[in-house]
C-alpha cells in the first residue's frame, strides 16, 4: 500500500475500476481500466468526474463516456454517446452467441 493512499484513506486494492462498453455502430466490445487515483478530475462542488473517449479496434467509431463519482470515488451516474455500457459477463460472452 502506498503511503499517500494510507494518509488519504484510499485503499490500494480499490485503486482501479473496469468499465465495459459496446460500440453502437459495429458492436465491438471494449474493456476500459480507470485508475481511481490518477484518472479522475475533482469537481469544484465535491466529487469527481471521468470523461473518456474510447475507440474500438473494429470500426474506430468514437465513443464518449462520462462517469460521475462521489467524494469516496463511488459511481453515482454514467452516460455514454456512440455506444452502451455492458456488464463484464456480456463482455466475456463471445460475439454471435
Amino acid at each position: 500500500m502506498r503511503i499517500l493512499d494510507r494518509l488519504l484513506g484510499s485503499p490500494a486494492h480499490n485503486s482501479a475500476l473496469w468499465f465495459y462498453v459496446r460500440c453502437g455502430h459495429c458492436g465491438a466490445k471494449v474493456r476500459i481500466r480507470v485508475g481511481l487515483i490518477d484518472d479522475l478530475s475533482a469537481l469544484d462542488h465535491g466529487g469527481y468526474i471521468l470523461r473518456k473517449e474510447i475507440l474500438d479496434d473494429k470500426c474506430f467509431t468514437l465513443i464518449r463516456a462520462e462517469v460521475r463519482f462521489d467524494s469516496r470515488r463511488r459511481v453515482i451516474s454514467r452516460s455514454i454517446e456512440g455506444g452502451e455500457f455492458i456488464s463484464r459477463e456480456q463482455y466475456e460472452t463471445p460475439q454471435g452467441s
Side-chain angles (χ1 to χ4, degrees):
M1 181 184 290
R2 295 183 344 196
I3 292 172
L4 184 58
D5 290 339
R6 277 187 270 165
L7 292 173
L8 296 176
S10 303
H13 65 277
N14 288 333
S15 63
L17 186 62
W18 291 92
F19 288 102
Y20 305 90
V21 301
R22 181 180 5 246
C23 175
H25 186 262
C26 71
K29 300 173 189 177
V30 182
R31 179 175 69 165
I32 306 299
R33 182 188 183 281
V34 174
L36 295 176
I37 305 300
D38 301 324
D39 292 339
L40 305 183
S41 298
L43 296 170
D44 291 338
H45 60 275
Y48 299 89
I49 190 164
L50 170 74
R51 290 186 180 100
K52 191 79 169 167
E53 293 185 337
I54 305 158
L55 286 176
D56 67 65
D57 62 356
K58 189 172 178 184
C59 74
F60 304 104
T61 296
L62 186 62
I63 302 166
R64 290 185 174 92
E66 182 176 293
V67 183
R68 293 185 179 266
F69 298 81
D70 66 13
S71 61
R72 298 182 74 194
R73 293 180 169 88
R74 294 177 298 196
V75 174
I76 55 174
S77 70
R78 61 186 191 175
S79 62
I80 193 164
E81 296 175 17
E84 65 178 330
F85 289 104
I86 60 174
S87 68
R88 179 178 177 179
E89 292 76 24
Q90 290 172 306
Y91 173 80
E92 292 174 347
T93 301
Q95 299 277 90
S97 31

